[in-house]
Amino acid sequence: MDELFYREYILEHYRSPHNYGHLENPDISVEDDNPLCGDRIRVDLKVEDGRIADVRFEGKGCAISQASASMLTDAVKGMKLEDMLRLGKDEIMENLGAETLAAARIKCATLGLKVLKAAAMRALERAVEAEGQRP
Amino acid sequence: MDELFYREYILEHYRSPHNYGHLENPDISVEDDNPLCGDRIRVDLKVEDGRIADVRFEGKGCAISQASASMLTDAVKGMKLEDMLRLGKDEIMENLGAETLAAARIKCATLGLKVLKAAAMRALERAVEAEGQRP
Amino acid sequence: MIAGTPHTTDEKAERVRADFPLLATRTSKGKPLVYLDSAATSQKPRSVIDTVSSYYERYNANIHRGVYEIAERATEAYEAARKRVAAFFNAASTDEIVFTRNATESINLVCYTWGFENLHAGDAILLTRLEHHSNIVPWQLLAAKTGAELRFLELDGQGRVVLDDLERKLQGVKLVALTHVSNTLGTIVPLEQIVPAAHAAGAVVLADGAQAAPHLRVDVRALDVDFYAASGHKMLAPTGIGALFGKRALLEAMPPFLAGGDMIRRVTFERTTYNELPWKFEAGTSNISGAIGLGAAVDYLQTLDMTWVREHEVALTSYALERLAAVPHLTLYGPKQAQERGGVAAFTMGDVHPHDLASILDAEGVCVRAGHHCTMPLHELLGLTATARASFYVYNTFADVDALIEALEKAARIFKL
Amino acid sequence: MIAGTPHTTDEKAERVRADFPLLATRTSKGKPLVYLDSAATSQKPRSVIDTVSSYYERYNANIHRGVYEIAERATEAYEAARKRVAAFFNAASTDEIVFTRNATESINLVCYTWGFENLHAGDAILLTRLEHHSNIVPWQLLAAKTGAELRFLELDGQGRVVLDDLERKLQGVKLVALTHVSNTLGTIVPLEQIVPAAHAAGAVVLADGAQAAPHLRVDVRALDVDFYAASGHKMLAPTGIGALFGKRALLEAMPPFLAGGDMIRRVTFERTTYNELPWKFEAGTSNISGAIGLGAAVDYLQTLDMTWVREHEVALTSYALERLAAVPHLTLYGPKQAQERGGVAAFTMGDVHPHDLASILDAEGVCVRAGHHCTMPLHELLGLTATARASFYVYNTFADVDALIEALEKAARIFKL
Ligand SMILES: Cc1ncc(COP(=O)(O)O)c(C=O)c1O
Ligand SMILES: Cc1ncc(COP(=O)(O)O)c(C=O)c1O
């Protein structure tokens, strides 16, 4: 792993994460952890018209997982759920400047993505259910 | 192991074992086996004045174990129990002409000795008990 | 020489042989080594020996939790080995492959978890009369503790499993535990007939593949077995590593077996939640070098091609059966057709005890096993206490069979048969 | 530099280092390897690696039943290894040494046999708050199934076990299961005080020696422990081999654990009688090369001399504690005196997460572990989710400590502490 990875802006995101905290009455709230290192992230979503209207996260863990989640919440605000689901590991890594990250740490870097995707998935399922219940 | 070990007289003892069968009303009867290869030997003893008055064995197994038991029963007839207990592995091996026998086969060669010693031991214990019960 | 393609498979076997350092050694008497005991354990190719050394020399580290380079590399190699093993058995996923010590532990794992969870008084377990102690004793213990009953499929005169009464025998059976290939008679058990019948009767099937995995192309999905047990050391891999295949749904529902590091997800002083498959069943530090070595062994076998492995085995076994049958006073056990058996030939010769036979053969450099081969009950059934057994693998050649026959003839002369 | 004999022990350690091929390698960035994760697994000396290869190249064969030469030789080497291990622990007899996969299996073996046989509802098991998951989770499972209760000896501010209430805590206790040396805090647990008290209270004592056996002179008879568990891979031996010491009378009374080949005496289709100690507990083909490798490892350690091993560890740990204490923002956990601890130093540094710390150290070639080290409950007790841990062994030198400190200072600069 490249020590240069811990750049200024990563440390800033780690120490002053964006979109940190929780939403009042979120539409969706999902939490997961990375059992290997104990990183943990919870994401709250507000969804409107199939888009992420607002997002907050809370978590603890290493700089990689927390900075990644922080940057990711910035990126997905306003995004369509479907587009969000298409985000891949590579984009996250590029975003982080962490293409050379060791395998064990990739799980840290992508924990935020995993939780966000789980939340988006649940939002879509709900929409389908709601659809089904219309007369 | 030296293939020459399977000499004429060993095969004779294997095929026509001496002292084979059982004694009527033996003083002692002991059986044991070699679980690794399934060899099995039972020995019957008649004891008089602390000596082996008569001996028979029965068994099945390899030529080494059976010939060894056959030769040994010849050798111990008339022997004092104490002297019998002093017989060692080396004497057996020499007797058999089997000094170079592989370790796994030594257990075969000495099975008869093991059973005979167990029988002699039991005979001595009985003698001590009988002693203790005298008024 | 008979049917098959002995010559061509034998030429390749000669080349294969050169990959096995031990086969180039000589006995203390200076005789070339004729290793005919692969059913007990196989020899190891240079590639497997070197893979293990290279792990220790270059990237030895504990797996799964290390952040640093060699720990990453060790983790990747360990999990890559699991992927190779999963592919070798055509498992649906690496989650279905648990690394164990050997086939025995694989069977015990199922016994202690699935077995104790699912078997109750009155339930039956169906085995065959061919089973190795490792596939009898665990079930005896389970039966003794739960009140379940053991039943057996009988054998015909050639040691083949009688299937006429299969449906009747399957009544009330919760588990069928049976060998895929017999280590004593060589019998190949027709799983493709038994598994569907067992499933139709509502039973789960565990196949003991200790003697099959090294020799046959085993496709756990095509066989549709629920559990499959194998030992690495019999299939060119190091000692101390084995595998258990289990269908995911079964493994998921099973309680854990050994408890400790690595098989957990969260531990508090009060309570524990378990890790995902397959790690839920791998407690403590695994045999990392063993697993990586098993990966290399499986690679080697796939390079040889399992079709060739089986073809060569059939050719060699046919030849051996033919030559053995011609030895005076020799009695062969098991199926008559090489196609119906693995590369194992158990026999007796006159009144020469198998141990004496093996000792005489040893003096000629010919390594065979003598005894009950961990199938005492089967031997008892055959009215024997011991047999001599020659077994073949990828590095054996027709010349090895010739050496066996010569040594047997010498034994016959010594014993004046 | 402080008390002890750092210079002389360090000179020898430099020579020892040369025996370990991996320590001469470099990272992908070309950095020399500074291996500080021996508490996870140790590196292996050339003699152990070669002993394993040589087994496979010269006398690989299955043990205990083979009549031929290489099988004899393998059997002798395997049992000679057991003799070496018995001598290393000063066991009364080789019958008291069972080969297992690792310390985890050793503990589980006792749990499944002695434990399930002897523990009932209302009985208590006494552990410490230091325990590794491998010495917690088996007992949790046992407690859940039997209704036995788990109790814990508490820790003081330095992570030392509080013994004031030992007698009270021992009331109703059938088993005391405790680590000899903590893998996280390094604490050496005073077995010499606890064992007699436990015996007086009628309890049996199992010590988890995974971190002690590699480092201290362990004399199971002097300690008077009933069971002692160890892992080979932490004491220079291959992966996949461990040992369980058990007092003969206990082992004899215990039911078997895994069932299968080699652990039996007689098997019929109906019933089985078991083999003698220690084989009763070794089912199936053992990790033969692993056991022989463990024998070579124990030889190597005894040549180094366990007194030197401990002296060097104390010297190195003293030096490390002193230097670590001087690093700004660094918090050290565990006993303050090197004499009271093994060669393990767990720490945190400011708000740098241990995983980030380990990654930065890795870039410098310094291998440390980050996480909970399989002691999640202990970490929770300390209010932590993770620590970084450096651990030392015979091949580490003062220069390795210096490299660690430099790398930590670099991490502090990167994180602008
Ligand atoms: C104190 C302690 N106990 C038990 C274990 C388990 O050892 P293994 O994983 O080799 O079974 C370890 C190893 O991490 C340990 O440090
Ligand atoms: C048919 C069969 N099952 C099980 C086993 C047990 O294998 P292992 O000793 O490797 O556990 C063997 C090996 O002898 C075998 O031949």
Side-chain angles (χ1 to χ4, degrees):
Chain A
M1 116 113 239
D2 195 338
E3 76 256 45
L4 291 178
F5 166 71
Y6 291 96
R7 293 192 195 83
E8 207 67 55
Y9 69 92
I10 298 281
L11 296 181
E12 268 164 23
H13 274 284
Y14 173 49
R15 293 196 168 121
S16 314
H18 301 185
N19 312 304
Y20 201 79
H22 38 93
L23 292 173
E24 305 242 324
N25 304 319
D27 294 320
I28 305 285
S29 189
V30 168
E31 181 169 328
D32 202 356
D33 64 359
N34 178 349
L36 279 187
C37 54
D39 292 349
R40 176 178 294 269
I41 279 172
R42 206 205 65 247
V43 160
D44 292 348
L45 287 191
K46 276 270 182 213
V47 179
E48 272 166 32
D49 294 335
R51 288 181 185 272
I52 297 176
D54 205 358
V55 57
R56 291 278 189 292
F57 87 101
E58 232 174 30
K60 56 180 186 169
C62 64
I64 298 182
S65 68
Q66 304 302 308
S68 167
S70 169
M71 292 162 73
L72 195 61
T73 48
D74 273 353
V76 301
K77 233 182 276 183
M79 200 180 264
K80 276 184 150 172
L81 293 174
E82 281 89 350
D83 292 341
M84 150 88 246
L85 284 175
R86 268 192 288 273
L87 279 182
K89 193 187 81 174
D90 295 345
E91 279 143 300
I92 297 295
M93 298 322 242
E94 205 181 316
N95 206 4
L96 281 172
E99 291 90 342
T100 60
L101 209 60
R105 308 304 309 281
I106 292 176
K107 290 209 171 152
C108 304
T110 54
L111 178 61
L113 179 67
K114 190 176 154 204
V115 178
L116 261 171
K117 280 189 169 182
M121 195 64 106
R122 202 172 301 167
L124 283 173
E125 281 164 13
R126 288 239 188 111
V128 171
E129 274 166 35
E131 194 81 25
Q133 275 158 16
R134 265 192 267 177
Chain B
M1 113 116 242
D2 195 337
E3 76 257 45
L4 291 176
F5 166 70
Y6 291 95
R7 294 191 193 83
E8 201 78 46
Y9 69 91
I10 298 282
L11 296 181
E12 269 164 25
H13 273 285
Y14 173 50
R15 292 194 170 126
S16 316
H18 302 184
N19 312 305
Y20 200 80
H22 38 92
L23 293 173
E24 304 244 321
N25 304 316
D27 295 318
I28 305 285
S29 190
V30 168
E31 179 169 332
D32 201 357
D33 64 359
N34 177 348
L36 281 186
C37 55
D39 291 349
R40 177 178 293 269
I41 279 173
R42 204 203 68 247
V43 160
D44 292 349
L45 289 190
K46 275 271 184 212
V47 179
E48 272 165 35
D49 294 335
R51 287 181 187 273
I52 297 177
D54 205 357
V55 57
R56 290 279 189 292
F57 87 101
E58 230 173 35
K60 55 180 186 169
C62 62
I64 297 182
S65 68
Q66 304 303 308
S68 166
S70 170
M71 292 162 72
L72 195 60
T73 49
D74 273 352
V76 301
K77 232 182 277 182
M79 201 180 262
K80 276 183 149 173
L81 292 173
E82 280 90 349
D83 293 340
M84 150 89 246
L85 283 175
R86 269 192 288 274
L87 278 182
K89 194 187 79 177
D90 296 345
E91 280 142 300
I92 297 296
M93 299 322 245
E94 207 180 312
N95 207 3
L96 280 172
E99 292 89 341
T100 60
L101 209 60
R105 306 307 308 282
I106 291 176
K107 290 209 172 152
C108 304
T110 56
L111 178 61
L113 179 66
K114 191 175 154 205
V115 178
L116 261 173
K117 280 190 171 183
M121 195 65 105
R122 203 173 298 169
L124 283 172
E125 281 163 16
R126 287 236 190 113
V128 171
E129 273 167 34
E131 194 83 26
Q133 276 159 16
R134 263 190 269 176
Chain C
M1 221 153 286
I2 46 173
T5 48
H7 282 301
T8 46
T9 68
D10 209 41
E11 267 167 34
K12 179 161 165 181
E14 281 288 358
R15 289 195 304 275
V16 167
R17 189 181 182 85
D19 293 337
F20 291 75
L22 189 133
L23 299 178
T25 63
R26 290 182 168 252
T27 70
S28 65
K29 292 207 173 77
K31 306 258 177 179
L33 206 72
V34 179
Y35 187 74
L36 296 177
D37 197 18
S38 294
T41 199
S42 74
Q43 295 306 330
K44 322 301 172 195
R46 166 67 52 212
S47 67
V48 167
I49 301 172
D50 288 352
T51 295
V52 170
S53 303
S54 150
Y55 162 72
Y56 287 123
E57 288 166 10
R58 298 192 204 168
Y59 60 102
N60 168 65
N62 213 328
I63 53 174
H64 289 156
R65 290 175 193 283
V67 165
Y68 51 87
E69 230 171 72
I70 55 174
E72 288 270 327
R73 197 168 154 205
T75 304
E76 272 163 33
Y78 180 79
E79 294 301 338
R82 194 193 307 277
K83 205 174 276 180
R84 288 199 177 95
V85 173
F88 186 77
F89 288 117
N90 196 29
S93 150
T94 52
D95 296 356
E96 297 183 328
I97 298 294
V98 177
F99 284 130
T100 60
R101 179 170 38 239
N102 49 29
T104 300
E105 195 194 20
S106 299
I107 295 168
N108 277 270
L109 192 163
V110 175
C111 178
Y112 270 103
T113 57
W114 186 89
F116 275 95
E117 197 88 349
N118 290 285
L119 280 154
H120 308 285
D123 292 336
I125 304 171
L126 184 60
L127 315 177
T128 79
R129 295 278 179 204
L130 292 169
E131 301 313 318
H132 186 278
H133 295 163
S134 292
N135 200 30
I136 299 178
V137 189
W139 310 117
Q140 286 181 336
L141 286 175
L142 179 74
K145 283 204 185 151
T146 59
E149 166 209 349
L150 296 192
R151 265 183 227 163
F152 296 89
L153 290 172
E154 302 299 335
L155 307 180
D156 69 11
Q158 288 190 43
R160 294 172 301 194
V161 178
V162 174
L163 297 182
D164 301 347
D165 54 355
L166 179 60
E167 277 182 36
R168 193 176 53 75
K169 287 249 166 105
L170 277 168
Q171 278 165 28
V173 166
K174 277 260 182 82
L175 173 73
V176 179
L178 78 185
T179 195
H180 192 177
V181 173
S182 160
N183 67 314
T184 298
L185 300 182
T187 318
I188 299 177
V189 175
L191 293 181
E192 63 290 353
Q193 289 175 59
I194 298 174
V195 176
H199 284 164
V204 156
V205 180
L206 174 144
D208 170 2
Q211 297 294 342
H215 302 277
L216 308 178
R217 190 186 294 280
V218 173
D219 180 332
V220 291
R221 274 191 282 181
L223 290 171
D224 198 26
V225 288
D226 301 291
F227 296 108
Y228 199 86
S231 277
H233 70 94
K234 294 187 202 278
M235 50 195 288
L236 309 183
T239 53
I241 191 78
L244 172 68
F245 159 82
K247 283 186 185 163
R248 179 199 294 271
L250 288 166
L251 292 179
E252 266 172 359
M254 273 149 60
F257 179 36
L258 303 187
D262 232 37
M263 55 70 77
I264 58 93
R265 189 173 165 96
R266 281 198 95 68
V267 181
T268 67
F269 284 118
E270 291 76 34
R271 200 181 13 261
T272 292
T273 51
Y274 302 110
N275 203 340
E276 292 160 30
L277 294 179
W279 305 288
K280 172 170 130 186
F281 294 108
E282 294 178 5
T285 302
S286 301
N287 186 350
I288 304 170
S289 72
I292 295 173
L294 177 55
V298 154
D299 266 3
Y300 185 89
L301 282 172
Q302 288 191 316
T303 306
L304 291 188
D305 178 1
M306 291 306 289
T307 305
W308 174 82
V309 170
R310 176 63 184 152
E311 239 176 62
H312 178 56
E313 179 165 278
V314 171
L316 208 54
T317 306
S318 300
Y319 181 62
L321 294 180
E322 187 191 37
R323 295 227 44 196
L324 285 166
V327 173
H329 308 286
L330 192 142
T331 310
L332 256 171
Y333 303 94
K336 295 212 183 325
Q337 297 301 320
Q339 282 76 7
E340 293 186 81
R341 59 195 288 163
V344 163
F347 54 88
T348 50
M349 196 171 80
D351 70 348
V352 187
H353 191 281
H355 277 86
D356 295 319
L357 203 50
S359 281
I360 294 171
L361 265 49
D362 175 44
E364 303 299 309
V366 176
C367 308
V368 302
R369 189 131 300 220
H372 51 63
H373 323 305
C374 293
T375 57
M376 280 175 106
L378 172 61
H379 275 77
E380 210 168 294
L381 192 72
L382 298 171
L384 299 167
T385 52
T387 51
R389 182 187 70 184
S391 55
F392 312 113
Y393 206 16
V394 292
Y395 35 68
N396 288 120
T397 60
F398 280 52
D400 291 338
V401 174
D402 295 337
L404 166 68
I405 300 295
E406 244 175 74
L408 285 171
E409 284 164 352
K410 175 152 188 186
R413 279 196 304 279
I414 289 175
F415 266 77
K416 304 194 171 32
L417 289 187
Chain D
M1 221 152 286
I2 45 170
T5 49
H7 281 300
T8 46
T9 68
D10 209 43
E11 266 167 34
K12 179 161 164 180
E14 282 288 356
R15 290 195 304 275
V16 167
R17 189 182 182 85
D19 293 336
F20 290 76
L22 189 134
L23 299 177
T25 63
R26 291 180 167 254
T27 70
S28 65
K29 291 207 172 79
K31 307 256 176 181
L33 205 73
V34 179
Y35 186 74
L36 297 176
D37 196 18
S38 295
T41 199
S42 73
Q43 295 305 329
K44 321 301 173 198
R46 166 67 52 212
S47 66
V48 168
I49 301 172
D50 288 352
T51 295
V52 170
S53 304
S54 150
Y55 163 70
Y56 286 122
E57 288 166 9
R58 298 191 204 168
Y59 61 101
N60 168 66
N62 213 327
I63 53 174
H64 290 156
R65 289 176 194 282
V67 165
Y68 50 87
E69 229 172 71
I70 55 173
E72 287 270 327
R73 197 169 154 204
T75 304
E76 272 163 33
Y78 180 78
E79 294 301 339
R82 195 195 306 276
K83 206 175 272 180
R84 289 197 176 97
V85 173
F88 186 77
F89 288 118
N90 195 31
S93 151
T94 51
D95 296 357
E96 298 184 326
I97 298 294
V98 177
F99 284 130
T100 60
R101 178 169 39 238
N102 50 29
T104 300
E105 195 194 20
S106 298
I107 296 168
N108 277 270
L109 191 163
V110 175
C111 179
Y112 270 102
T113 56
W114 187 90
F116 274 95
E117 196 88 348
N118 290 284
L119 282 153
H120 307 287
D123 293 334
I125 303 171
L126 184 59
L127 315 178
T128 78
R129 296 279 179 203
L130 292 169
E131 301 312 318
H132 186 280
H133 295 163
S134 292
N135 200 30
I136 300 178
V137 188
W139 310 117
Q140 286 180 338
L141 287 175
L142 178 75
K145 284 205 186 152
T146 59
E149 168 210 348
L150 296 192
R151 268 184 223 162
F152 296 89
L153 289 172
E154 303 297 335
L155 307 179
D156 71 11
Q158 287 189 44
R160 295 172 300 195
V161 178
V162 174
L163 298 182
D164 302 347
D165 54 355
L166 178 59
E167 277 181 37
R168 193 176 54 74
K169 288 247 166 104
L170 278 168
Q171 277 165 27
V173 166
K174 277 260 183 81
L175 174 72
V176 179
L178 79 185
T179 194
H180 192 178
V181 173
S182 159
N183 68 315
T184 297
L185 300 182
T187 318
I188 298 178
V189 176
L191 293 182
E192 63 289 354
Q193 289 175 58
I194 298 173
V195 176
H199 285 164
V204 156
V205 180
L206 174 145
D208 169 2
Q211 297 294 342
H215 301 277
L216 308 178
R217 189 187 293 283
V218 173
D219 180 332
V220 291
R221 274 191 282 179
L223 290 172
D224 198 25
V225 288
D226 301 291
F227 296 108
Y228 199 86
S231 275
H233 71 94
K234 294 189 202 275
M235 49 195 288
L236 309 182
T239 54
I241 190 76
L244 171 69
F245 159 82
K247 283 185 184 163
R248 179 199 294 270
L250 288 166
L251 292 179
E252 266 172 359
M254 275 150 59
F257 178 39
L258 303 187
D262 232 36
M263 56 69 77
I264 58 92
R265 189 174 165 96
R266 280 198 95 67
V267 181
T268 67
F269 284 118
E270 292 76 34
R271 198 183 14 262
T272 291
T273 51
Y274 303 109
N275 203 340
E276 293 160 30
L277 292 178
W279 306 287
K280 173 171 130 187
F281 295 108
E282 294 178 5
T285 302
S286 301
N287 185 350
I288 304 169
S289 72
I292 295 173
L294 177 56
V298 155
D299 266 3
Y300 185 89
L301 282 172
Q302 289 193 316
T303 307
L304 290 188
D305 177 2
M306 292 306 289
T307 305
W308 174 82
V309 170
R310 176 64 185 151
E311 241 176 59
H312 179 56
E313 178 165 277
V314 170
L316 208 55
T317 307
S318 299
Y319 180 61
L321 293 181
E322 186 191 39
R323 294 226 46 194
L324 285 167
V327 174
H329 307 286
L330 191 141
T331 309
L332 256 170
Y333 304 94
K336 295 212 184 322
Q337 297 301 319
Q339 281 77 8
E340 294 185 81
R341 61 195 289 164
V344 162
F347 54 86
T348 52
M349 196 171 79
D351 70 347
V352 188
H353 191 281
H355 276 87
D356 295 319
L357 202 50
S359 281
I360 294 172
L361 266 50
D362 175 43
E364 304 298 310
V366 176
C367 307
V368 301
R369 189 130 301 221
H372 51 63
H373 322 304
C374 293
T375 57
M376 281 175 106
L378 173 61
H379 274 77
E380 210 167 293
L381 191 73
L382 298 171
L384 300 166
T385 52
T387 51
R389 181 187 71 183
S391 54
F392 311 113
Y393 206 16
V394 292
Y395 34 69
N396 288 120
T397 60
F398 281 52
D400 290 338
V401 175
D402 295 336
L404 167 67
I405 300 294
E406 244 176 73
L408 286 172
E409 284 163 354
K410 177 153 188 185
R413 282 197 303 279
I414 290 174
F415 266 77
K416 304 195 171 35
L417 289 189

